[in-house]
Amino acid sequence: MKKIFISRKLNSDSIFKIKLENEGFEIWNESLLEFELIPFEKIPDADWIFFYSQKGVQFFFNHIRNNNISFSKKIQFAGFGEKTAKAIEQFTKCHFTGTGNAKTTAPDFLKIAHGKKILFPRAKNSQRSVQQLIDNQSITIDLIIYKNFPQKEFDLPRMDYLFFTSPMNAIAFFQKYQLEKGQKVFAIGKTTANALNDLGIKNVIFPKKPSEEEFVKLLLENQ
């Protein structure tokens, strides 16, 4: 049975998990990162709050609820991709959902947020991919609310396929393991693929759209 590693904890109803297990693969799914809240006392004035990740959504809303931090009811919320938008919907309405790709998300978002104040609650070492593309067309505000760093203690068996969902997960993996002959490496998008290239990993495969459906399609096409 061929083994697949994906650097993200999957839900039981994950399309990636269900379809590939049905195809006879063994799935190992876990993040190689640790996360820690960076507390904040207030929310800066903004028209929009844009989240890059599900983790950012969870840290933000859990912290404001636990500390009775309020925000204007006029604020609208945006998610970088579908999963982040779904995470927002667990707490409030999501008014914009991006594609998960900065180059396509930024212009679409600017159609409704041009010239507005946009707050980005983010990780300390975030790539700031959307912010960099809209800085000169809107007022962007940073709010660093958590930090992530590679785990040092983890053990994985030899995998046939490696799926990385962030640059730091890729760094964590290759700090411990070397790429072995026959292994195929996949990335969630171009940013992660570039990080893998910087680590010396070539021929990285990544989808045009970062979705579990595309991941499944790519793997089955590249067995």
Side-chain angles (χ1 to χ4, degrees):
M1 181 181 291
K2 290 194 173 182
K3 295 182 174 67
I4 301 169
F5 169 73
I6 181 167
S7 63
R8 171 186 289 169
K9 193 66 178 175
L10 301 174
N11 296 326
S12 58
D13 61 351
S14 160
I15 292 172
F16 185 95
K17 181 177 174 66
I18 293 170
K19 287 192 173 182
L20 291 175
E21 284 182 343
N22 287 340
E23 291 286 339
F25 294 94
E26 182 178 347
I27 311 296
W28 289 66
N29 60 107
E30 64 177 283
S31 172
L32 303 181
L33 307 181
E34 295 183 18
F35 300 88
E36 183 178 311
L37 172 71
I38 297 176
F40 55 95
E41 296 181 356
K42 64 179 182 178
I43 299 171
D45 179 48
D47 301 300
W48 283 86
I49 296 180
F50 187 108
F51 291 99
Y52 284 113
S53 68
Q54 299 172 70
K55 188 65 68 175
V57 172
Q58 293 161 1
F59 272 123
F60 179 86
F61 283 104
N62 288 334
H63 184 66
I64 65 173
R65 285 185 173 184
N66 291 339
N67 294 275
N68 295 315
I69 299 172
S70 62
F71 59 86
S72 170
K73 293 182 179 180
K74 294 180 180 179
I75 289 179
Q76 293 182 290
F77 293 88
F80 186 47
E82 291 180 5
K83 287 187 175 295
T84 304
K86 287 180 181 178
I88 294 170
E89 291 281 357
Q90 293 178 355
F91 297 95
T92 188
K93 182 177 179 180
C94 183
H95 303 86
F96 172 86
T97 302
T99 64
N101 178 291
K103 288 186 178 179
T104 52
T105 297
D108 284 347
F109 185 50
L110 278 174
K111 291 176 183 177
I112 54 175
H114 188 277
K116 302 291 186 180
K117 288 183 181 178
I118 307 162
L119 178 67
F120 287 85
R122 64 174 180 85
K124 186 175 182 179
N125 57 354
S126 167
Q127 301 286 323
R128 300 181 70 253
S129 55
V130 173
Q131 287 160 274
Q132 292 182 49
L133 295 174
I134 68 172
D135 270 343
N136 61 345
Q137 299 178 68
S138 293
I139 303 167
T140 61
I141 308 163
D142 263 333
L143 181 62
I144 299 173
I145 62 170
Y146 72 101
K147 58 183 177 181
N148 49 9
F149 43 93
Q151 290 186 35
K152 293 182 179 179
E153 301 296 330
F154 61 89
D155 288 295
L156 298 169
R158 186 196 182 280
M159 297 291 166
D160 300 287
Y161 304 95
L162 303 168
F163 282 78
F164 294 104
T165 56
S166 74
M168 191 171 288
N169 269 293
I171 291 167
F173 183 91
F174 286 109
Q175 280 180 344
K176 183 166 185 176
Y177 300 109
Q178 291 186 336
L179 185 66
E180 297 185 29
K181 186 177 180 179
Q183 286 182 321
K184 291 189 176 181
V185 181
F186 299 77
I188 195 170
K190 192 171 183 179
T191 300
T192 303
N194 288 341
L196 285 159
N197 291 160
D198 291 342
L199 292 168
I201 310 301
K202 307 301 180 186
N203 302 315
V204 178
I205 305 163
F206 61 94
K208 292 182 179 179
K209 181 181 179 182
S211 68
E212 290 193 4
E213 292 90 342
E214 289 296 317
F215 264 22
V216 171
K217 181 180 177 182
L218 274 183
L219 186 137
L220 294 177
E221 289 175 348
N222 289 275
Q223 291 187 68

